[in-house]
C-alpha cells in the first residue's frame, strides 16, 4: 500500500513568519519605520472575523502594525471607497486588504472596490494591475496569498510541477484562477474545473496533482483521484461544528502520494504569504520610494 505523506503547512508557515520577523527587525534596527497593514472588515460574518483576527495576530507576531478598519454591515459603497482612498495616501500604511466576501448589498461591487486600492499596496494581489502582471508571468506583481502559499508548499516538499498534469477544482478570482496562472507560468498542464463542469472525475482521475478550492465538504473522494497523485485541499467548511476541507482526507490515506490536512495545511500558509506580501510592499516603499 502507498505511504501517504501529510503535507503540513503549520511548521512551514512558522518558518516564513520567523524570516519575515527577522527582516522587519533588521529594517527597524537600521532606522526604518515599522510596516503597516490595513485590514478592512465589513459586517459580522463569523468566518471573516476569525480570518481577520488570524491576520492581525500574525501582524503582531512579526512586527507589522495592523490598522483595524471595521465597518457596520449596512455601510455604503462610497464610505468604503473613501476609506480606501484615504489609506492609499497614508505614509504609514504599506498594505491594504478588504476581507471578502462583502455583505450582500455590496457583493456585486466587490471588484469596483478592489480597483480603488493602490496596486502598490494591494497585498492580496486582487487588483487588475497585479492580476495582469501575473497573467503575463511578470514577477514584479503581487501574487494572491493562497495560491502563493500552495506553490510554496509544493516547492518546499519537492513536488515538481513542470510538465505535470494539474487539475484545479474551483475557478474563483481568489484561488482557482490565479492558481492556474501560477502553474501555467511554471509550465504545468492545467485544467480548471468549476460548477458547470460535467464530469469533474474525468479530469481529476488523470491528474498528477489535484488542487481543490470549492468549500464543498468531501467533494474529492478516493475514487476520483489516481493512485499516487498529490492532493492539495484549499477548501474550508464546517460540518457539525467541525472544520473540514473539500477532500475526504481519510479516503486518501494509502492511496494518494501526499495530501494536505484541513486545518493545518494551506490555511496557515495563506496568512504567512500575506505577511510576506506586506513586507515586500513595505521594502519597495521605504527603499525605492
Ligand atoms: N476571503 C477568502 N480568502 C480571502 C483572501 O485571501 N483575502 C481576502 N481579502 N479575503 C478572502
Amino acid at each position: 500500500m502507498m505511504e501517504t505523506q501529510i503535507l503540513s503547512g503549520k511548521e512551514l508557515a512558522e518558518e516564513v513568519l520567523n524570516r519575515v520577523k527577522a527582516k522587519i527587525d533588521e529594517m527597524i534596527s537600521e532606522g526604518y519605520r515599522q510596516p503597516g497593514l490595513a485590514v478592512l472588515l465589513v459586517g459580522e460574518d463569523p468566518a471573516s472575523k476569525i480570518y481577520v483576527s488570524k491576520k492581525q495576530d500574525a501582524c503582531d507576531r512579526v512586527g507589522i502594525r495592523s490598522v483595524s478598519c471595521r465597518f457596520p454591515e449596512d455601510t455604503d459603497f462610497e464610505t468604503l471607497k473613501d476609506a480606501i482612498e484615504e489609506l492609499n495616501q497614508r505614509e504609514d500604511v504599506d498594505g491594504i486588504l478588504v476581507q471578502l466576501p462583502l455583505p450582500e448589498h455590496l457583493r456585486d461591487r466587490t471588484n469596483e472596490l478592489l480597483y480603488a486600492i493602490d496596486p502598490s499596496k494591494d497585498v492580496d494581489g486582487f487588483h487588475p494591475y497585479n492580476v495582469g502582471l501575473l497573467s503575463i508571468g511578470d514577477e514584479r506583481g503581487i501574487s494572491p496569498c493562497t495560491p502563493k502559499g500552495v506553490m510554496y508548499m509544493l516547492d518546499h516538499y519537492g513536488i515538481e510541477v513542470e510538465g505535470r498534469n494539474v487539475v484545479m477544482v474551483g475557478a474563483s478570482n481568489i484561488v482557482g484562477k490565479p492558481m492556474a496562472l501560477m502553474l501555467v507560468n511554471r509550465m504545468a498542464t492545467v485544467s480548471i474545473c468549476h460548477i458547470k463542469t460535467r464530469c469533474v472525475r474525468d479530469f481529476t482521475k488523470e491528474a498528477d496533482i489535484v488542487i481543490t478550492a470549492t468549500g464543498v465538504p468531501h467533494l474529492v473522494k478516493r475514487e476520483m483521484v489516481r493512485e499516487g497523485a498529490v492532493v492539495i485541499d484549499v477548501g474550508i467548511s464546517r460540518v457539525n461544528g467541525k472544520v473540514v476541507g473539500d477532500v475526504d482526507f481519510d479516503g486518501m490515506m494509502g492511496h494518494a502520494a501526499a495530501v494536505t490536512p484541513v486545518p493545518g495545511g494551506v490555511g496557515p500558509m495563506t496568512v504567512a504569504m500575506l505577511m510576506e506580501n506586506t513586507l515586500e510592499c513595505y521594502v519597495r516603499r521605504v527603499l525605492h520610494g
Side-chain angles (χ1 to χ4, degrees), residues 48 51 55 97-101 124 126 144-146 174-175 270:
S48 288
Y51 295 140
K55 291 171 186 183
L97 79 82
V98 179
Q99 186 62 33
L100 303 177
D124 261 333
F126 293 161
C145 305
T146 303
I174 294 175
V175 183
T270 296

Side-chain angles (χ1 to χ4, degrees), residues 86-117:
E86 202 180 306
L87 292 163
N88 285 340
Q89 301 304 321
R90 271 176 65 166
E91 291 293 341
D92 61 336
V93 169
D94 302 285
I96 303 168
L97 79 82
V98 179
Q99 186 62 33
L100 303 177
L102 290 168
E104 198 61 49
H105 71 284
L106 294 164
R107 196 92 30 112
D108 61 357
R109 297 184 82 182
T110 298
N111 285 339
E112 214 183 320
L113 203 59
L114 297 176
Y115 301 168
I117 299 173

